[in-house]
Amino acid sequence: QVRLVESGGGSVQAGESLRVSCTTSEKLNLAVEYPTMGWFRQVPGAEREAVASLTPSNTEYADSLKGRFTISRDVAKNTLYLQMNDLKPDDSAVYYCAAAAGVRTQCRGGRCFPSLRRVDFDYWGQGTQVTVSS
């Protein structure tokens, strides 16, 4: 089991950028033990939705967020990032980091990619709030 801790959330104006981070205080290598990691977000009254995920060799994004959000992992810092650019009020949500103890992929239309399914992730952080004002 791993305790994931998100940070970097806050309040910004529309059009600005923000980077959220996810790491652990435990002595383990996230990249090795949890090769699939992702970001999800949730607003009150709605289901948690996928934002982006990565495996050692690939990344995947929710269709509506491609081009504005970038997921990355700094192995040396044992940290997962989500860079969010040109933020919009609709991006306001609690952002959650998630980890899977294995390589989790899904396939669609003959293409396989890092999973964006919540059920494929084993551990979750407590979330960090992102608020975007117009």
Side-chain angles (χ1 to χ4, degrees), residues 84-123:
M84 302 180 286
N85 297 330
D86 189 23
L87 282 161
K88 307 178 187 304
D90 285 347
D91 295 319
S92 298
V94 177
Y95 283 72
Y96 295 92
C97 169
V103 176
R104 307 282 167 83
T105 60
Q106 58 183 114
C107 298
R108 187 186 304 148
R111 183 178 75 94
C112 295
F113 47 89
S115 178
L116 293 174
R117 294 182 295 219
R118 287 177 295 167
V119 295
D120 284 335
F121 290 84
D122 305 305
Y123 303 104

Side-chain angles (χ1 to χ4, degrees), residues 7-37:
S7 62
S11 297
V12 297
Q13 296 291 315
E16 294 183 342
S17 298
L18 198 63
R19 188 178 74 168
V20 291
S21 304
C22 171
T23 189
T24 179
S25 59
E26 299 168 42
K27 295 187 186 305
L28 56 84
N29 186 322
L30 285 173
V32 172
E33 301 199 36
Y34 302 96
T36 305
M37 294 192 72

Side-chain angles (χ1 to χ4, degrees), residues 45-61:
E47 290 192 358
R48 193 169 296 187
E49 65 174 6
V51 173
S53 64
L54 59 71
T55 58
S57 59
N58 208 354
T59 57
E60 184 67 11
Y61 298 89

